[in-house]
Amino acid sequence: MTIAPAKTTDLTLSAAAAARLHALSKADGREVLLRLAVEGGGCSGFQYEFSLVHEIAPDDLVIERDGAHALVDEISLVLLKGSEIDWADELVGSQFQVKNPNAKSSCGCGVSFSI
């Protein structure tokens, strides 16, 4: 797989998120990429959309840490600048989540937010 040259440092990947992507890739037998997008909707105005993919789209920006890769589009990045994608492994469940300093409020599940 060839990684697109368009990279960004405006959004980061935590060590835990990178480790989780490596584990998913090992289980799948090929590299798994995490795609993050921001969509309108949710109980707070915007919501995070996560998906696991194997291909990089031409307009994707790449976030890299320890050889693991996440993807984001330029429009979503405007709302995510300065954020970190993390992996939370908690009693109530495990999930990717965004630590977004731009969010003024968020819902209890952490999937939607407002600016």
mmCIF file with all atom_site columns, all heavy atoms in Angstrom, residues 35-62:
data_model
loop_
_atom_site.group_PDB
_atom_site.id
_atom_site.type_symbol
_atom_site.label_atom_id
_atom_site.label_alt_id
_atom_site.label_comp_id
_atom_site.label_asym_id
_atom_site.label_entity_id
_atom_site.label_seq_id
_atom_site.pdbx_PDB_ins_code
_atom_site.Cartn_x
_atom_site.Cartn_y
_atom_site.Cartn_z
_atom_site.occupancy
_atom_site.B_iso_or_equiv
_atom_site.pdbx_formal_charge
_atom_site.auth_seq_id
_atom_site.auth_comp_id
_atom_site.auth_asym_id
_atom_site.auth_atom_id
_atom_site.pdbx_PDB_model_num
ATOM 1   N N   . ARG A 1 35 ? -10.583 5.777  9.517  1.00 0.00 ? 35 ARG A N   1
ATOM 2   C CA  . ARG A 1 35 ? -11.067 6.998  8.877  1.00 0.00 ? 35 ARG A CA  1
ATOM 3   C C   . ARG A 1 35 ? -11.959 7.735  9.880  1.00 0.00 ? 35 ARG A C   1
ATOM 4   O O   . ARG A 1 35 ? -12.879 7.163  10.449 1.00 0.00 ? 35 ARG A O   1
ATOM 5   C CB  . ARG A 1 35 ? -11.864 6.686  7.625  1.00 0.00 ? 35 ARG A CB  1
ATOM 6   C CG  . ARG A 1 35 ? -12.381 7.943  6.904  1.00 0.00 ? 35 ARG A CG  1
ATOM 7   C CD  . ARG A 1 35 ? -13.169 7.609  5.657  1.00 0.00 ? 35 ARG A CD  1
ATOM 8   N NE  . ARG A 1 35 ? -12.440 6.765  4.731  1.00 0.00 ? 35 ARG A NE  1
ATOM 9   C CZ  . ARG A 1 35 ? -11.475 7.180  3.906  1.00 0.00 ? 35 ARG A CZ  1
ATOM 10  N NH1 . ARG A 1 35 ? -11.103 8.432  3.915  1.00 0.00 ? 35 ARG A NH1 1
ATOM 11  N NH2 . ARG A 1 35 ? -10.883 6.326  3.086  1.00 0.00 ? 35 ARG A NH2 1
ATOM 12  N N   . LEU A 1 36 ? -11.667 9.024  10.091 1.00 0.00 ? 36 LEU A N   1
ATOM 13  C CA  . LEU A 1 36 ? -12.462 9.874  10.973 1.00 0.00 ? 36 LEU A CA  1
ATOM 14  C C   . LEU A 1 36 ? -13.050 11.009 10.151 1.00 0.00 ? 36 LEU A C   1
ATOM 15  O O   . LEU A 1 36 ? -12.343 11.659 9.381  1.00 0.00 ? 36 LEU A O   1
ATOM 16  C CB  . LEU A 1 36 ? -11.589 10.453 12.098 1.00 0.00 ? 36 LEU A CB  1
ATOM 17  C CG  . LEU A 1 36 ? -12.207 11.532 12.977 1.00 0.00 ? 36 LEU A CG  1
ATOM 18  C CD1 . LEU A 1 36 ? -13.453 11.025 13.700 1.00 0.00 ? 36 LEU A CD1 1
ATOM 19  C CD2 . LEU A 1 36 ? -11.177 12.042 13.974 1.00 0.00 ? 36 LEU A CD2 1
ATOM 20  N N   . ALA A 1 37 ? -14.341 11.226 10.305 1.00 0.00 ? 37 ALA A N   1
ATOM 21  C CA  . ALA A 1 37 ? -15.017 12.335 9.643  1.00 0.00 ? 37 ALA A CA  1
ATOM 22  C C   . ALA A 1 37 ? -15.966 12.981 10.640 1.00 0.00 ? 37 ALA A C   1
ATOM 23  O O   . ALA A 1 37 ? -16.363 12.361 11.625 1.00 0.00 ? 37 ALA A O   1
ATOM 24  C CB  . ALA A 1 37 ? -15.792 11.841 8.422  1.00 0.00 ? 37 ALA A CB  1
ATOM 25  N N   . VAL A 1 38 ? -16.299 14.226 10.391 1.00 0.00 ? 38 VAL A N   1
ATOM 26  C CA  . VAL A 1 38 ? -17.295 14.935 11.191 1.00 0.00 ? 38 VAL A CA  1
ATOM 27  C C   . VAL A 1 38 ? -18.515 15.143 10.314 1.00 0.00 ? 38 VAL A C   1
ATOM 28  O O   . VAL A 1 38 ? -18.411 15.652 9.202  1.00 0.00 ? 38 VAL A O   1
ATOM 29  C CB  . VAL A 1 38 ? -16.754 16.294 11.695 1.00 0.00 ? 38 VAL A CB  1
ATOM 30  C CG1 . VAL A 1 38 ? -17.850 17.069 12.418 1.00 0.00 ? 38 VAL A CG1 1
ATOM 31  C CG2 . VAL A 1 38 ? -15.552 16.088 12.599 1.00 0.00 ? 38 VAL A CG2 1
ATOM 32  N N   . GLU A 1 39 ? -19.655 14.723 10.807 1.00 0.00 ? 39 GLU A N   1
ATOM 33  C CA  . GLU A 1 39 ? -20.931 14.861 10.093 1.00 0.00 ? 39 GLU A CA  1
ATOM 34  C C   . GLU A 1 39 ? -21.852 15.767 10.890 1.00 0.00 ? 39 GLU A C   1
ATOM 35  O O   . GLU A 1 39 ? -21.756 15.849 12.113 1.00 0.00 ? 39 GLU A O   1
ATOM 36  C CB  . GLU A 1 39 ? -21.591 13.483 9.929  1.00 0.00 ? 39 GLU A CB  1
ATOM 37  C CG  . GLU A 1 39 ? -20.751 12.458 9.213  1.00 0.00 ? 39 GLU A CG  1
ATOM 38  C CD  . GLU A 1 39 ? -20.582 12.733 7.737  1.00 0.00 ? 39 GLU A CD  1
ATOM 39  O OE1 . GLU A 1 39 ? -21.488 13.363 7.139  1.00 0.00 ? 39 GLU A OE1 1
ATOM 40  O OE2 . GLU A 1 39 ? -19.550 12.335 7.173  1.00 0.00 ? 39 GLU A OE2 1
ATOM 41  N N   . GLY A 1 40 ? -22.769 16.430 10.220 1.00 0.00 ? 40 GLY A N   1
ATOM 42  C CA  . GLY A 1 40 ? -23.794 17.205 10.903 1.00 0.00 ? 40 GLY A CA  1
ATOM 43  C C   . GLY A 1 40 ? -24.788 16.253 11.531 1.00 0.00 ? 40 GLY A C   1
ATOM 44  O O   . GLY A 1 40 ? -25.052 15.185 10.997 1.00 0.00 ? 40 GLY A O   1
ATOM 45  N N   . GLY A 1 41 ? -25.309 16.603 12.704 1.00 0.00 ? 41 GLY A N   1
ATOM 46  C CA  . GLY A 1 41 ? -26.293 15.749 13.362 1.00 0.00 ? 41 GLY A CA  1
ATOM 47  C C   . GLY A 1 41 ? -25.848 15.368 14.750 1.00 0.00 ? 41 GLY A C   1
ATOM 48  O O   . GLY A 1 41 ? -24.941 15.968 15.312 1.00 0.00 ? 41 GLY A O   1
ATOM 49  N N   . GLY A 1 42 ? -26.474 14.366 15.292 1.00 0.00 ? 42 GLY A N   1
ATOM 50  C CA  . GLY A 1 42 ? -26.181 13.971 16.659 1.00 0.00 ? 42 GLY A CA  1
ATOM 51  C C   . GLY A 1 42 ? -26.927 14.871 17.618 1.00 0.00 ? 42 GLY A C   1
ATOM 52  O O   . GLY A 1 42 ? -27.499 15.883 17.233 1.00 0.00 ? 42 GLY A O   1
ATOM 53  N N   . CYS A 1 43 ? -26.891 14.543 18.874 1.00 0.00 ? 43 CYS A N   1
ATOM 54  C CA  . CYS A 1 43 ? -27.668 15.312 19.849 1.00 0.00 ? 43 CYS A CA  1
ATOM 55  C C   . CYS A 1 43 ? -27.016 16.648 20.191 1.00 0.00 ? 43 CYS A C   1
ATOM 56  O O   . CYS A 1 43 ? -27.652 17.496 20.805 1.00 0.00 ? 43 CYS A O   1
ATOM 57  C CB  . CYS A 1 43 ? -27.912 14.483 21.111 1.00 0.00 ? 43 CYS A CB  1
ATOM 58  S SG  . CYS A 1 43 ? -26.441 13.801 21.864 1.00 0.00 ? 43 CYS A SG  1
ATOM 59  N N   . SER A 1 44 ? -25.765 16.881 19.770 1.00 0.00 ? 44 SER A N   1
ATOM 60  C CA  . SER A 1 44 ? -25.100 18.141 20.094 1.00 0.00 ? 44 SER A CA  1
ATOM 61  C C   . SER A 1 44 ? -24.754 18.990 18.874 1.00 0.00 ? 44 SER A C   1
ATOM 62  O O   . SER A 1 44 ? -24.136 20.033 19.011 1.00 0.00 ? 44 SER A O   1
ATOM 63  C CB  . SER A 1 44 ? -23.813 17.868 20.882 1.00 0.00 ? 44 SER A CB  1
ATOM 64  O OG  . SER A 1 44 ? -24.112 17.290 22.123 1.00 0.00 ? 44 SER A OG  1
ATOM 65  N N   . GLY A 1 45 ? -25.120 18.563 17.674 1.00 0.00 ? 45 GLY A N   1
ATOM 66  C CA  . GLY A 1 45 ? -24.875 19.376 16.485 1.00 0.00 ? 45 GLY A CA  1
ATOM 67  C C   . GLY A 1 45 ? -23.965 18.734 15.454 1.00 0.00 ? 45 GLY A C   1
ATOM 68  O O   . GLY A 1 45 ? -24.244 18.763 14.270 1.00 0.00 ? 45 GLY A O   1
ATOM 69  N N   . PHE A 1 46 ? -22.846 18.171 15.885 1.00 0.00 ? 46 PHE A N   1
ATOM 70  C CA  . PHE A 1 46 ? -21.932 17.439 15.019 1.00 0.00 ? 46 PHE A CA  1
ATOM 71  C C   . PHE A 1 46 ? -21.689 16.071 15.640 1.00 0.00 ? 46 PHE A C   1
ATOM 72  O O   . PHE A 1 46 ? -21.805 15.905 16.842 1.00 0.00 ? 46 PHE A O   1
ATOM 73  C CB  . PHE A 1 46 ? -20.577 18.156 14.891 1.00 0.00 ? 46 PHE A CB  1
ATOM 74  C CG  . PHE A 1 46 ? -20.647 19.498 14.224 1.00 0.00 ? 46 PHE A CG  1
ATOM 75  C CD1 . PHE A 1 46 ? -20.600 20.652 14.985 1.00 0.00 ? 46 PHE A CD1 1
ATOM 76  C CD2 . PHE A 1 46 ? -20.739 19.608 12.850 1.00 0.00 ? 46 PHE A CD2 1
ATOM 77  C CE1 . PHE A 1 46 ? -20.655 21.904 14.382 1.00 0.00 ? 46 PHE A CE1 1
ATOM 78  C CE2 . PHE A 1 46 ? -20.795 20.851 12.239 1.00 0.00 ? 46 PHE A CE2 1
ATOM 79  C CZ  . PHE A 1 46 ? -20.750 21.993 13.008 1.00 0.00 ? 46 PHE A CZ  1
ATOM 80  N N   . GLN A 1 47 ? -21.311 15.113 14.803 1.00 0.00 ? 47 GLN A N   1
ATOM 81  C CA  . GLN A 1 47 ? -20.976 13.801 15.352 1.00 0.00 ? 47 GLN A CA  1
ATOM 82  C C   . GLN A 1 47 ? -19.752 13.237 14.644 1.00 0.00 ? 47 GLN A C   1
ATOM 83  O O   . GLN A 1 47 ? -19.514 13.516 13.479 1.00 0.00 ? 47 GLN A O   1
ATOM 84  C CB  . GLN A 1 47 ? -22.139 12.837 15.261 1.00 0.00 ? 47 GLN A CB  1
ATOM 85  C CG  . GLN A 1 47 ? -22.633 12.546 13.870 1.00 0.00 ? 47 GLN A CG  1
ATOM 86  C CD  . GLN A 1 47 ? -23.902 11.709 13.904 1.00 0.00 ? 47 GLN A CD  1
ATOM 87  O OE1 . GLN A 1 47 ? -24.478 11.442 14.947 1.00 0.00 ? 47 GLN A OE1 1
ATOM 88  N NE2 . GLN A 1 47 ? -24.351 11.287 12.747 1.00 0.00 ? 47 GLN A NE2 1
ATOM 89  N N   . TYR A 1 48 ? -18.982 12.471 15.401 1.00 0.00 ? 48 TYR A N   1
ATOM 90  C CA  . TYR A 1 48 ? -17.802 11.806 14.857 1.00 0.00 ? 48 TYR A CA  1
ATOM 91  C C   . TYR A 1 48 ? -18.233 10.533 14.153 1.00 0.00 ? 48 TYR A C   1
ATOM 92  O O   . TYR A 1 48 ? -19.059 9.785  14.663 1.00 0.00 ? 48 TYR A O   1
ATOM 93  C CB  . TYR A 1 48 ? -16.816 11.447 15.973 1.00 0.00 ? 48 TYR A CB  1
ATOM 94  C CG  . TYR A 1 48 ? -16.347 12.632 16.772 1.00 0.00 ? 48 TYR A CG  1
ATOM 95  C CD1 . TYR A 1 48 ? -16.662 12.758 18.118 1.00 0.00 ? 48 TYR A CD1 1
ATOM 96  C CD2 . TYR A 1 48 ? -15.576 13.629 16.185 1.00 0.00 ? 48 TYR A CD2 1
ATOM 97  C CE1 . TYR A 1 48 ? -16.219 13.838 18.867 1.00 0.00 ? 48 TYR A CE1 1
ATOM 98  C CE2 . TYR A 1 48 ? -15.136 14.721 16.922 1.00 0.00 ? 48 TYR A CE2 1
ATOM 99  C CZ  . TYR A 1 48 ? -15.460 14.825 18.257 1.00 0.00 ? 48 TYR A CZ  1
ATOM 100 O OH  . TYR A 1 48 ? -15.032 15.898 18.990 1.00 0.00 ? 48 TYR A OH  1
ATOM 101 N N   . GLU A 1 49 ? -17.672 10.305 13.000 1.00 0.00 ? 49 GLU A N   1
ATOM 102 C CA  . GLU A 1 49 ? -17.942 9.098  12.234 1.00 0.00 ? 49 GLU A CA  1
ATOM 103 C C   . GLU A 1 49 ? -16.622 8.344  12.071 1.00 0.00 ? 49 GLU A C   1
ATOM 104 O O   . GLU A 1 49 ? -15.677 8.852  11.473 1.00 0.00 ? 49 GLU A O   1
ATOM 105 C CB  . GLU A 1 49 ? -18.501 9.486  10.868 1.00 0.00 ? 49 GLU A CB  1
ATOM 106 C CG  . GLU A 1 49 ? -18.679 8.346  9.932  1.00 0.00 ? 49 GLU A CG  1
ATOM 107 C CD  . GLU A 1 49 ? -20.111 7.877  9.858  1.00 0.00 ? 49 GLU A CD  1
ATOM 108 O OE1 . GLU A 1 49 ? -20.996 8.539  10.395 1.00 0.00 ? 49 GLU A OE1 1
ATOM 109 O OE2 . GLU A 1 49 ? -20.307 6.829  9.258  1.00 0.00 ? 49 GLU A OE2 1
ATOM 110 N N   . PHE A 1 50 ? -16.543 7.145  12.632 1.00 0.00 ? 50 PHE A N   1
ATOM 111 C CA  . PHE A 1 50 ? -15.347 6.312  12.527 1.00 0.00 ? 50 PHE A CA  1
ATOM 112 C C   . PHE A 1 50 ? -15.638 5.143  11.606 1.00 0.00 ? 50 PHE A C   1
ATOM 113 O O   . PHE A 1 50 ? -16.705 4.551  11.662 1.00 0.00 ? 50 PHE A O   1
ATOM 114 C CB  . PHE A 1 50 ? -14.969 5.724  13.893 1.00 0.00 ? 50 PHE A CB  1
ATOM 115 C CG  . PHE A 1 50 ? -14.527 6.734  14.904 1.00 0.00 ? 50 PHE A CG  1
ATOM 116 C CD1 . PHE A 1 50 ? -15.404 7.193  15.882 1.00 0.00 ? 50 PHE A CD1 1
ATOM 117 C CD2 . PHE A 1 50 ? -13.228 7.216  14.898 1.00 0.00 ? 50 PHE A CD2 1
ATOM 118 C CE1 . PHE A 1 50 ? -14.991 8.111  16.837 1.00 0.00 ? 50 PHE A CE1 1
ATOM 119 C CE2 . PHE A 1 50 ? -12.807 8.141  15.844 1.00 0.00 ? 50 PHE A CE2 1
ATOM 120 C CZ  . PHE A 1 50 ? -13.690 8.585  16.817 1.00 0.00 ? 50 PHE A CZ  1
ATOM 121 N N   . SER A 1 51 ? -14.664 4.797  10.773 1.00 0.00 ? 51 SER A N   1
ATOM 122 C CA  . SER A 1 51 ? -14.770 3.575  9.976  1.00 0.00 ? 51 SER A CA  1
ATOM 123 C C   . SER A 1 51 ? -13.373 3.002  9.779  1.00 0.00 ? 51 SER A C   1
ATOM 124 O O   . SER A 1 51 ? -12.380 3.732  9.796  1.00 0.00 ? 51 SER A O   1
ATOM 125 C CB  . SER A 1 51 ? -15.461 3.839  8.635  1.00 0.00 ? 51 SER A CB  1
ATOM 126 O OG  . SER A 1 51 ? -14.783 4.836  7.905  1.00 0.00 ? 51 SER A OG  1
ATOM 127 N N   . LEU A 1 52 ? -13.308 1.701  9.629  1.00 0.00 ? 52 LEU A N   1
ATOM 128 C CA  . LEU A 1 52 ? -12.053 1.016  9.363  1.00 0.00 ? 52 LEU A CA  1
ATOM 129 C C   . LEU A 1 52 ? -12.006 0.700  7.877  1.00 0.00 ? 52 LEU A C   1
ATOM 130 O O   . LEU A 1 52 ? -12.964 0.130  7.332  1.00 0.00 ? 52 LEU A O   1
ATOM 131 C CB  . LEU A 1 52 ? -11.958 -0.264 10.199 1.00 0.00 ? 52 LEU A CB  1
ATOM 132 C CG  . LEU A 1 52 ? -11.972 -0.039 11.707 1.00 0.00 ? 52 LEU A CG  1
ATOM 133 C CD1 . LEU A 1 52 ? -12.032 -1.375 12.448 1.00 0.00 ? 52 LEU A CD1 1
ATOM 134 C CD2 . LEU A 1 52 ? -10.769 0.770  12.166 1.00 0.00 ? 52 LEU A CD2 1
ATOM 135 N N   . VAL A 1 53 ? -10.925 1.102  7.227  1.00 0.00 ? 53 VAL A N   1
ATOM 136 C CA  . VAL A 1 53 ? -10.803 0.951  5.778  1.00 0.00 ? 53 VAL A CA  1
ATOM 137 C C   . VAL A 1 53 ? -9.420  0.393  5.444  1.00 0.00 ? 53 VAL A C   1
ATOM 138 O O   . VAL A 1 53 ? -8.532  0.321  6.304  1.00 0.00 ? 53 VAL A O   1
ATOM 139 C CB  . VAL A 1 53 ? -11.036 2.296  5.052  1.00 0.00 ? 53 VAL A CB  1
ATOM 140 C CG1 . VAL A 1 53 ? -12.443 2.826  5.321  1.00 0.00 ? 53 VAL A CG1 1
ATOM 141 C CG2 . VAL A 1 53 ? -9.992  3.336  5.459  1.00 0.00 ? 53 VAL A CG2 1
ATOM 142 N N   . HIS A 1 54 ? -9.246  0.042  4.179  1.00 0.00 ? 54 HIS A N   1
ATOM 143 C CA  . HIS A 1 54 ? -7.968  -0.484 3.708  1.00 0.00 ? 54 HIS A CA  1
ATOM 144 C C   . HIS A 1 54 ? -7.338  0.400  2.640  1.00 0.00 ? 54 HIS A C   1
ATOM 145 O O   . HIS A 1 54 ? -6.190  0.172  2.273  1.00 0.00 ? 54 HIS A O   1
ATOM 146 C CB  . HIS A 1 54 ? -8.142  -1.898 3.150  1.00 0.00 ? 54 HIS A CB  1
ATOM 147 C CG  . HIS A 1 54 ? -8.596  -2.883 4.177  1.00 0.00 ? 54 HIS A CG  1
ATOM 148 N ND1 . HIS A 1 54 ? -7.769  -3.373 5.154  1.00 0.00 ? 54 HIS A ND1 1
ATOM 149 C CD2 . HIS A 1 54 ? -9.802  -3.449 4.400  1.00 0.00 ? 54 HIS A CD2 1
ATOM 150 C CE1 . HIS A 1 54 ? -8.433  -4.201 5.923  1.00 0.00 ? 54 HIS A CE1 1
ATOM 151 N NE2 . HIS A 1 54 ? -9.684  -4.267 5.491  1.00 0.00 ? 54 HIS A NE2 1
ATOM 152 N N   . GLU A 1 55 ? -8.065  1.369  2.146  1.00 0.00 ? 55 GLU A N   1
ATOM 153 C CA  . GLU A 1 55 ? -7.575  2.213  1.054  1.00 0.00 ? 55 GLU A CA  1
ATOM 154 C C   . GLU A 1 55 ? -7.595  3.685  1.450  1.00 0.00 ? 55 GLU A C   1
ATOM 155 O O   . GLU A 1 55 ? -8.471  4.130  2.191  1.00 0.00 ? 55 GLU A O   1
ATOM 156 C CB  . GLU A 1 55 ? -8.439  2.030  -0.194 1.00 0.00 ? 55 GLU A CB  1
ATOM 157 C CG  . GLU A 1 55 ? -8.454  0.614  -0.739 1.00 0.00 ? 55 GLU A CG  1
ATOM 158 C CD  . GLU A 1 55 ? -7.116  0.167  -1.297 1.00 0.00 ? 55 GLU A CD  1
ATOM 159 O OE1 . GLU A 1 55 ? -6.392  1.013  -1.868 1.00 0.00 ? 55 GLU A OE1 1
ATOM 160 O OE2 . GLU A 1 55 ? -6.789  -1.018 -1.165 1.00 0.00 ? 55 GLU A OE2 1
ATOM 161 N N   . ILE A 1 56 ? -6.666  4.428  0.891  1.00 0.00 ? 56 ILE A N   1
ATOM 162 C CA  . ILE A 1 56 ? -6.594  5.871  1.093  1.00 0.00 ? 56 ILE A CA  1
ATOM 163 C C   . ILE A 1 56 ? -7.226  6.544  -0.121 1.00 0.00 ? 56 ILE A C   1
ATOM 164 O O   . ILE A 1 56 ? -6.862  6.231  -1.260 1.00 0.00 ? 56 ILE A O   1
ATOM 165 C CB  . ILE A 1 56 ? -5.135  6.329  1.250  1.00 0.00 ? 56 ILE A CB  1
ATOM 166 C CG1 . ILE A 1 56 ? -4.517  5.690  2.486  1.00 0.00 ? 56 ILE A CG1 1
ATOM 167 C CG2 . ILE A 1 56 ? -5.049  7.848  1.318  1.00 0.00 ? 56 ILE A CG2 1
ATOM 168 C CD1 . ILE A 1 56 ? -3.031  5.901  2.612  1.00 0.00 ? 56 ILE A CD1 1
ATOM 169 N N   . ALA A 1 57 ? -8.172  7.450  0.109  1.00 0.00 ? 57 ALA A N   1
ATOM 170 C CA  . ALA A 1 57 ? -8.787  8.208  -0.977 1.00 0.00 ? 57 ALA A CA  1
ATOM 171 C C   . ALA A 1 57 ? -7.841  9.342  -1.385 1.00 0.00 ? 57 ALA A C   1
ATOM 172 O O   . ALA A 1 57 ? -7.031  9.806  -0.571 1.00 0.00 ? 57 ALA A O   1
ATOM 173 C CB  . ALA A 1 57 ? -10.134 8.765  -0.526 1.00 0.00 ? 57 ALA A CB  1
ATOM 174 N N   . PRO A 1 58 ? -7.943  9.802  -2.623 1.00 0.00 ? 58 PRO A N   1
ATOM 175 C CA  . PRO A 1 58 ? -7.033  10.851 -3.100 1.00 0.00 ? 58 PRO A CA  1
ATOM 176 C C   . PRO A 1 58 ? -7.074  12.145 -2.280 1.00 0.00 ? 58 PRO A C   1
ATOM 177 O O   . PRO A 1 58 ? -6.071  12.843 -2.179 1.00 0.00 ? 58 PRO A O   1
ATOM 178 C CB  . PRO A 1 58 ? -7.511  11.116 -4.534 1.00 0.00 ? 58 PRO A CB  1
ATOM 179 C CG  . PRO A 1 58 ? -8.234  9.884  -4.937 1.00 0.00 ? 58 PRO A CG  1
ATOM 180 C CD  . PRO A 1 58 ? -8.825  9.319  -3.678 1.00 0.00 ? 58 PRO A CD  1
ATOM 181 N N   . ASP A 1 59 ? -8.210  12.455 -1.673 1.00 0.00 ? 59 ASP A N   1
ATOM 182 C CA  . ASP A 1 59 ? -8.319  13.709 -0.918 1.00 0.00 ? 59 ASP A CA  1
ATOM 183 C C   . ASP A 1 59 ? -8.118  13.519 0.591  1.00 0.00 ? 59 ASP A C   1
ATOM 184 O O   . ASP A 1 59 ? -8.313  14.440 1.371  1.00 0.00 ? 59 ASP A O   1
ATOM 185 C CB  . ASP A 1 59 ? -9.658  14.388 -1.187 1.00 0.00 ? 59 ASP A CB  1
ATOM 186 C CG  . ASP A 1 59 ? -10.851 13.531 -0.791 1.00 0.00 ? 59 ASP A CG  1
ATOM 187 O OD1 . ASP A 1 59 ? -10.697 12.307 -0.653 1.00 0.00 ? 59 ASP A OD1 1
ATOM 188 O OD2 . ASP A 1 59 ? -11.938 14.103 -0.629 1.00 0.00 ? 59 ASP A OD2 1
ATOM 189 N N   . ASP A 1 60 ? -7.699  12.325 1.019  1.00 0.00 ? 60 ASP A N   1
ATOM 190 C CA  . ASP A 1 60 ? -7.453  12.077 2.434  1.00 0.00 ? 60 ASP A CA  1
ATOM 191 C C   . ASP A 1 60 ? -6.168  12.745 2.901  1.00 0.00 ? 60 ASP A C   1
ATOM 192 O O   . ASP A 1 60 ? -5.182  12.794 2.165  1.00 0.00 ? 60 ASP A O   1
ATOM 193 C CB  . ASP A 1 60 ? -7.314  10.572 2.712  1.00 0.00 ? 60 ASP A CB  1
ATOM 194 C CG  . ASP A 1 60 ? -8.638  9.848  2.775  1.00 0.00 ? 60 ASP A CG  1
ATOM 195 O OD1 . ASP A 1 60 ? -9.661  10.489 3.083  1.00 0.00 ? 60 ASP A OD1 1
ATOM 196 O OD2 . ASP A 1 60 ? -8.640  8.630  2.522  1.00 0.00 ? 60 ASP A OD2 1
ATOM 197 N N   . LEU A 1 61 ? -6.190  13.205 4.135  1.00 0.00 ? 61 LEU A N   1
ATOM 198 C CA  . LEU A 1 61 ? -4.980  13.621 4.833  1.00 0.00 ? 61 LEU A CA  1
ATOM 199 C C   . LEU A 1 61 ? -4.629  12.490 5.786  1.00 0.00 ? 61 LEU A C   1
ATOM 200 O O   . LEU A 1 61 ? -5.510  11.887 6.394  1.00 0.00 ? 61 LEU A O   1
ATOM 201 C CB  . LEU A 1 61 ? -5.221  14.915 5.599  1.00 0.00 ? 61 LEU A CB  1
ATOM 202 C CG  . LEU A 1 61 ? -5.575  16.130 4.739  1.00 0.00 ? 61 LEU A CG  1
ATOM 203 C CD1 . LEU A 1 61 ? -5.958  17.307 5.625  1.00 0.00 ? 61 LEU A CD1 1
ATOM 204 C CD2 . LEU A 1 61 ? -4.414  16.498 3.838  1.00 0.00 ? 61 LEU A CD2 1
ATOM 205 N N   . VAL A 1 62 ? -3.362  12.196 5.923  1.00 0.00 ? 62 VAL A N   1
ATOM 206 C CA  . VAL A 1 62 ? -2.907  11.050 6.694  1.00 0.00 ? 62 VAL A CA  1
ATOM 207 C C   . VAL A 1 62 ? -2.312  11.505 8.020  1.00 0.00 ? 62 VAL A C   1
ATOM 208 O O   . VAL A 1 62 ? -1.509  12.439 8.066  1.00 0.00 ? 62 VAL A O   1
ATOM 209 C CB  . VAL A 1 62 ? -1.859  10.240 5.895  1.00 0.00 ? 62 VAL A CB  1
ATOM 210 C CG1 . VAL A 1 62 ? -1.347  9.064  6.707  1.00 0.00 ? 62 VAL A CG1 1
ATOM 211 C CG2 . VAL A 1 62 ? -2.447  9.763  4.573  1.00 0.00 ? 62 VAL A CG2 1
#
